[in-house]
Amino acid sequence: MVEKRLKAWGNNRGGQLGDGTWTDFRTTATTVLGLTSAEVVKIAAGGQGPVTGHGLALLTDRTVQSWGANSTGQLGNGTATDSGTPVTTLTALTGVDKIAASAGGDFSLAN
């Protein structure tokens, strides 16, 4: 059985592709590190401009992973440090069934 992986492409100045790099642009798909599509229930992408992009993944255990730009805390991990790989959001964020990331701003939502 082939393990499917979450893929991303495009601008990566804020680490928003989640592949562990800050390589400027990717015109082909790159693997988001640490997440298999078997464990990802929903995905969302947000941010505006080349250095504010971030991604979110809701996992089967109903926790959230996030990666990319974090200048306004949009990754939800208690820091304002960008992350080129997925990080766990605040531990209080469990039992989630919906996620969203603002396309026009630098924030994320979970319910």
Side-chain angles (χ1 to χ4, degrees), residues 5-37:
R5 294 290 191 172
L6 185 60
K7 303 281 187 173
W9 56 93
N11 194 317
N12 193 38
R13 289 185 202 162
Q16 58 265 53
L17 299 186
D19 66 353
T21 74
W22 275 263
T23 302
D24 202 359
F25 297 103
R26 296 288 177 109
T27 58
T28 59
T30 184
T31 300
V32 176
L33 297 178
L35 298 176
T36 65
S37 55

